[in-house]
């Protein structure tokens, strides 16, 4: 196979097909969509190929046969029939109340000109859309295909300003309602975006949309599979560690049998030949961090978490669950699914190494007002642990904790302890250390377990009011680890095991003392 051009940032199907770019054929799934219904909604994270998918659907209905030669759908489509297509994309900035209306008027103007229609005299965009659909239908004698990309951007842009977000949501609800009111003129509707706003809040006027975001049949409609990497992109693999590609970038799952890669990551890797957080660096998750701070939730509490299906699609201006926010924006993905009675529950975790390292590192940098580099702190702490320099570890951890403002806390003592555990947890996660949060045994769960340097470190955090309570708190923590058998789980590893008791001060808001105890089984030190 010969190398082709990498379609980095190219969302135009015609350009990709005509100018020797790589293309992963998604048309078998598009055919399934068209054959199975008429009104669809799809949510995927940013830079996942949604815009290219929308453009491909548009080219198909417009009858651009030459672009589909050699693709799955070519021999299964009636090319003698073409349909008028209305395309709308909310790819601008929508900070002011008038921005949506102005942008829609401009887009409708383009659609009218492209269709050879006179400019509409209607004053508002919803009225103008209704008129456009009617005129297109009567002009062509074919019903209209409506494609809406980034449907939710006018709301996501202003989520930090709830009043404006609600205003934009109400405007869009009325606008999207026009599509349902024009049902007699509509052949097919495809709406894409990042978030899953509820039908009640945003699509009450378009409640016939079928949400395929978590439909296993369409789990790979965006993104690249392992097979795609090994076949379509085979010429690009030489000189790259194939397993490292999987570890770094594979892992996104929307209930399908295959996990997928973010296309942007893969294309940038093949272009730069360097493993780094290509996708993560293109967007700032500051709104996510602000939301986590506001509701006092840490990443440690959210990873490897089991949630009800309804929770990950719980997204609205007034009510955004952290699980839904992390899942829909691509920072967590589904790793397991099971049925509990009448409920479907999912286990969520990081999709891959890129997200795990970058999200934790970025959050620590966001919290830290100094110029300290979070990953360097984590590396130092790991080295000290592996060398069993526990006093050095304590002093470094103390300095590390002192550098970060105590922002996410309340008066609950258990939450104080979780705060310290989460900071250490993020520091290790940011450098790829194997960290097990809230590890269960048959009698309970440890605060944190770290596996590094051929050793096991089992942590228990205790909060004390005064320094005079240190000794009792440390002994209580060690006794808890011993009595609940947390170390038994790691006995078969035949590696040194250390029980790590950490005492933190409620008033000083920092580490006070540490005590470490090696574990022995049958009087034999492991």
């Amino acid at each position: 196979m010969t190398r082709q051009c990498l379609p980095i940032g190219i969302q135009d199907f015609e350009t990709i097909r005509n100018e020797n770019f790589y293309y992963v054929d998604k048309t078998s799934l598009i055919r399934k969509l068209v054959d199975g219904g008429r009104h669809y909604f799809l949510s995927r994270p940013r830079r996942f190929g949604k815009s290219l998918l929308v453009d491909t659907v548009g080219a198909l209905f417009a009858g651009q046969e030459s672009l589909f030669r050699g693709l799955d759908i070519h021999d299964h489509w009636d090319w003698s029939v073409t349909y008028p297509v209305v395309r709308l994309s909310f790819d601008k900035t929508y900070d002011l109340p008038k921005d949506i209306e102005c942008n829609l008027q401009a887009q409708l103007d383009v659609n009218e000109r492209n269709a050879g229609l006179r400019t509409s005299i209607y004053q508002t965009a919803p009225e103008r859309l209704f008129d456009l659909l009617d005129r297109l239908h009567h002009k062509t004698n074919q019903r209209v295909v409506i494609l809406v990309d980034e449907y939710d951007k006018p709301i996501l842009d202003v989520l930090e300003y709830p009043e404006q977000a609600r205003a934009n949501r109400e405007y869009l609800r009325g606008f999207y309602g026009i599509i349902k009111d024009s049902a007699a003129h509509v052949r097919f509707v495809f709406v894409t975006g990042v978030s899953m706003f509820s039908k009640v809040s945003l699509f009450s006027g378009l409640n016939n949309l079928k949400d395929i975001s978590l439909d296993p049949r369409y789990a790979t409609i965006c993104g690249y599979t392992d097979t795609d990497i090994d076949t379509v992109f085979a010429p690009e693999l030489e000189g790259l560690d194939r397993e490292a590609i999987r570890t770094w970038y594979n892992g996104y799952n929307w209930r399908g049998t295959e996990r997928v890669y973010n296309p942007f990551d893969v294309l940038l890797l093949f272009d730069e030949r360097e493993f780094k957080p290509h996708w993560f660096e293109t967007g700032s998750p500051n709104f996510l961090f602000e939301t986590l701070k506001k509701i006092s939730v840490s990443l440690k509490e959210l990873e490897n978490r089991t949630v009800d299906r309804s929770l990950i699609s719980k997204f609205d201006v007034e009510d955004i669950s952290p699980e839904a926010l992390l899942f829909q924006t691509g920072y967590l993905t589904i790793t397991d699914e099971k049925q509990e009675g009448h409920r479907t529950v999912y286990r969520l975790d990081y999709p891959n190494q890129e997200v795990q390292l970058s999200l934790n590192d970025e959050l620590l940098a966001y919290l830290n007002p100094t110029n300290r580099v979070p990953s360097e702190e984590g590396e130092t702490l790991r080295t000290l642990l592996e060398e069993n320099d526990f006093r050095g570890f304590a002093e470094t951890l103390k300095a590390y904790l002192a550098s970060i403002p105590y922002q996410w806390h309340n008066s609950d003592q258990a939450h104080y302890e979780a705060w310290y555990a989460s900071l250490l947890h993020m520091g290790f996660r940011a450098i790829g250390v194997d960290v097990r949060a809230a590890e269960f045994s048959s009698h309970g769960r440890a605060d944190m377990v770290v596996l590094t340097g051929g050793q096991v470190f089992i942590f228990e955090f205790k909060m004390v009011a005064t320094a005079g309570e240190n000794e009792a708190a440390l002994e209580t923590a060690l006794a808890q680890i011993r009595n609940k058998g947390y170390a038994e789980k790691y006995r078969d590893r035949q590696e040194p095991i250390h029980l790590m008791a950490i005492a933190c001060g409620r008033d000083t808001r920092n580490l006070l003392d540490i005590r470490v105890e090696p574990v022995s089984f049958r009087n034999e030190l492991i």
Side-chain angles (χ1 to χ4, degrees):
M1 294 179 65
T2 58
R3 298 183 71 173
Q4 295 176 259
C5 301
L6 296 166
I8 299 171
I10 298 179
Q11 303 167 352
D12 177 29
F13 180 66
E14 182 176 0
T15 298
I16 288 176
R17 294 295 288 163
N18 283 338
E19 299 184 19
N20 195 39
F21 286 95
Y22 289 108
Y23 176 69
V24 173
D25 188 0
K26 300 292 184 180
T27 61
S28 63
L29 294 173
I30 293 174
R31 178 158 60 98
K32 186 178 294 185
L33 277 181
V34 176
D35 291 345
R38 294 197 169 192
H39 305 84
Y40 292 101
F41 167 74
L42 175 69
S43 165
R44 287 294 184 267
R46 58 187 172 82
R47 294 190 175 274
F48 237 93
K50 299 186 298 296
S51 297
L52 175 58
L53 178 65
V54 167
D55 197 61
T56 305
V57 173
L60 181 68
F61 277 104
Q64 295 179 267
E65 179 188 5
S66 62
L67 303 181
F68 292 88
R69 288 173 186 157
L71 300 183
D72 177 88
I73 203 169
H74 182 268
D75 295 337
H76 304 280
W77 190 259
D78 184 358
W79 298 105
S80 67
V81 181
T82 61
Y83 300 87
V85 179
V86 170
R87 305 186 189 206
L88 300 170
S89 178
F90 293 95
D91 58 354
K92 307 300 181 184
T93 300
Y94 303 91
D95 295 336
L96 301 176
K98 64 179 182 179
D99 288 344
I100 305 178
E101 172 71 20
C102 291
N103 179 252
L104 276 173
Q105 290 282 9
Q107 291 195 65
L108 291 172
D109 189 54
V110 170
N111 275 277
E112 288 171 346
R113 288 202 312 271
N114 289 343
L117 299 174
R118 60 175 174 78
T119 301
S120 173
I121 61 173
Y122 291 96
Q123 298 300 307
T124 70
E127 291 175 307
R128 192 171 179 183
L129 175 63
F130 187 88
D131 174 68
L132 173 60
L133 297 177
D134 176 80
R135 287 194 290 157
L136 281 173
H137 186 191
H138 286 94
K139 177 184 177 180
T140 63
N141 290 320
Q142 294 292 346
R143 293 185 177 185
V144 185
V145 172
I146 304 174
L147 307 175
V148 183
D149 195 20
E150 298 192 69
Y151 86 100
D152 50 351
K153 191 173 184 295
I155 304 173
L156 300 182
D157 278 354
V158 292
L159 275 179
E160 295 175 82
Y161 310 97
E163 185 175 342
Q164 183 60 47
R166 283 191 291 269
N168 287 359
R169 181 190 64 189
E170 293 309 303
Y171 180 94
L172 289 173
R173 176 158 54 184
F175 182 78
Y176 293 139
I178 294 297
I179 298 175
K180 185 176 182 181
D181 293 342
S182 305
H185 307 304
V186 175
R187 164 67 177 86
F188 187 82
V189 179
F190 191 38
V191 179
T192 73
V194 170
S195 59
M196 301 177 189
F197 276 92
S198 70
K199 290 184 179 180
V200 173
S201 70
L202 185 55
F203 290 127
S204 58
L206 189 56
N207 55 13
N208 57 344
L209 281 179
K210 181 178 181 180
D211 186 353
I212 60 169
S213 304
L214 294 177
D215 188 328
R217 294 173 295 177
Y218 303 104
T220 62
I221 198 167
C222 287
Y224 299 154
T225 65
D226 259 327
T227 300
D228 296 330
I229 302 298
D230 292 332
T231 55
V232 177
F233 295 102
E236 303 294 330
L237 294 176
E238 185 177 354
L240 292 173
D241 184 328
R242 185 66 182 87
E243 192 55 40
I245 298 175
R246 290 190 183 91
T247 301
W248 263 87
Y249 304 119
N250 196 18
Y252 290 95
N253 184 275
W254 286 277
R255 302 183 61 227
T257 56
E258 293 182 275
R259 299 181 179 276
V260 297
Y261 299 75
N262 182 306
F264 190 77
D265 270 326
V266 171
L267 296 176
L268 265 292
L269 170 67
F270 291 154
D271 180 53
E272 299 181 16
R273 321 299 291 180
E274 182 179 357
F275 290 94
K276 66 179 187 178
H278 300 290
W279 171 77
F280 193 92
E281 291 176 351
T282 63
S284 171
N286 281 357
F287 175 75
L288 166 63
F289 297 157
E290 282 295 321
T291 301
L292 296 179
K293 182 174 73 172
K294 181 179 178 181
I295 60 179
S296 298
V297 174
S298 72
L299 293 179
K300 174 177 174 289
E301 297 172 76
L302 294 171
E303 66 177 67
N304 199 28
R305 183 183 182 101
T306 300
V307 300
D308 185 270
R309 174 173 182 158
S310 62
L311 196 59
I312 64 172
S313 54
K314 184 180 180 182
F315 198 101
D316 207 347
V317 175
E318 299 89 355
D319 187 12
I320 305 175
S321 75
E323 294 88 352
L325 185 57
L326 282 159
F327 173 70
Q328 294 179 32
T329 50
Y331 299 113
L332 292 179
T333 197
I334 296 172
T335 59
D336 191 26
E337 174 183 344
K338 62 181 178 180
Q339 205 70 25
E340 292 185 352
H342 298 293
R343 297 190 318 141
T344 300
V345 295
Y346 303 129
R347 184 171 295 280
L348 303 179
D349 210 342
Y350 298 115
N352 50 45
Q353 184 167 292
E354 176 197 20
V355 176
Q356 176 193 305
L357 301 182
S358 302
L359 187 61
N360 284 277
D361 191 64
E362 188 78 9
L363 177 53
L364 287 172
Y366 176 80
L367 291 173
N368 192 340
T370 71
N371 292 322
R372 304 164 80 99
V373 179
S375 57
E376 291 180 359
E377 299 281 5
E379 288 287 4
T380 301
L381 289 168
R382 171 167 64 179
T383 298
L384 292 168
L385 269 189
E386 292 178 354
E387 294 176 349
N388 292 174
D389 183 355
F390 300 118
R391 186 47 50 193
F393 175 84
E395 293 303 317
T396 302
L397 179 58
K398 187 173 183 179
Y400 167 63
L401 295 175
S403 72
I404 299 178
Y406 198 83
Q407 298 180 30
W408 298 352
H409 69 278
N410 56 31
S411 59
D412 179 18
Q413 177 165 317
H415 195 93
Y416 275 98
E417 294 169 1
W419 162 255
Y420 292 113
S422 69
L423 287 176
L424 183 56
H425 177 270
M426 284 189 289
F428 284 138
R429 277 295 199 197
I431 59 170
V433 171
D434 187 352
V435 184
R436 318 282 176 88
E439 272 281 86
F440 285 90
S441 75
S442 58
H443 301 291
R445 60 183 185 178
D447 285 339
M448 185 167 67
V449 177
V450 175
L451 308 177
T452 185
Q455 302 178 74
V456 180
F457 303 88
I458 303 174
F459 286 82
E460 191 69 27
F461 291 78
K462 292 297 178 185
M463 183 67 60
V464 298
T466 66
E469 301 174 11
N470 286 0
E471 289 301 316
L474 292 171
E475 181 52 42
T476 298
L478 290 174
Q480 181 173 328
I481 302 174
R482 289 190 221 103
N483 297 338
K484 294 190 175 183
Y486 296 154
E488 283 287 340
K489 185 173 183 177
Y490 303 95
R491 180 172 184 165
D492 292 342
R493 294 176 67 94
Q494 294 295 305
E495 295 175 342
I497 300 175
H498 308 272
L499 312 186
M500 309 280 294
I502 307 283
C504 296
R506 176 183 294 277
D507 296 327
T508 59
R509 293 180 176 178
N510 206 320
L511 182 146
L512 293 176
D513 205 355
I514 183 172
R515 185 182 294 176
V516 183
E517 179 179 290
V519 174
S520 62
F521 293 111
R522 298 177 181 174
N523 297 320
E524 179 183 351
L525 185 65
I526 293 182

